[in-house]
Amino acid sequence: MSVEPVEKAERGTHETGMPLVTTLAAAATYFSIAPGVSLNVRSGPGTGYPIVKILPEGSRVPIHCQTPGTRVTGPYGTTNIWDNIASGQYVSDAYVNTGSDGYIRPRCG
């Protein structure tokens, strides 16, 4: 799987003369979770954080930023990288098909 670059925000003018803005959110790339997996989403980057929800099989997630946390072994290897998929929601990168064993997004600040 290849990782598509995120487009930068652009400003322009719609044919009506109104400002037109394309945001990074609109250009977000989604990644598949491992096949046959219902994935725990946690409130922080580690297995010690509470589960806030469970993603059903076949889900796709955006990755806003990534951060180190608890080391986890999953279908895509062993890693300590955790993916931030929404405010206060993290999943282990070991269960997300990013096509890379390393960071593909900026570190969470």
Side-chain angles (χ1 to χ4, degrees):
M1 177 181 139
S2 64
V3 177
E4 298 174 7
V6 175
E7 298 175 19
K8 293 181 180 178
E10 297 177 12
R11 293 187 182 272
T13 304
H14 191 269
E15 55 211 28
T16 62
M18 297 296 292
L20 177 65
V21 177
T22 303
T23 64
L24 290 175
T29 300
Y30 284 75
F31 299 90
S32 298
I33 66 169
V37 170
S38 295
L39 186 60
N40 292 336
V41 178
R42 297 186 177 269
S43 64
T47 55
Y49 289 89
I51 296 170
V52 296
K53 69 179 182 180
I54 300 173
L55 296 175
E57 292 181 30
S59 293
R60 295 174 55 82
V61 295
I63 300 175
H64 302 292
C65 61
Q66 296 176 298
T67 191
T70 305
R71 191 165 208 65
V72 173
T73 298
Y76 299 115
T78 300
T79 185
N80 72 335
I81 298 173
W82 284 74
D83 304 330
N84 174 260
I85 62 169
S87 180
Q89 296 183 19
Y90 294 82
V91 295
S92 172
D93 197 61
Y95 288 88
V96 181
N97 188 2
T98 63
S100 172
D101 290 335
Y103 288 87
I104 60 158
R105 292 287 186 258
R107 294 237 183 161
C108 301

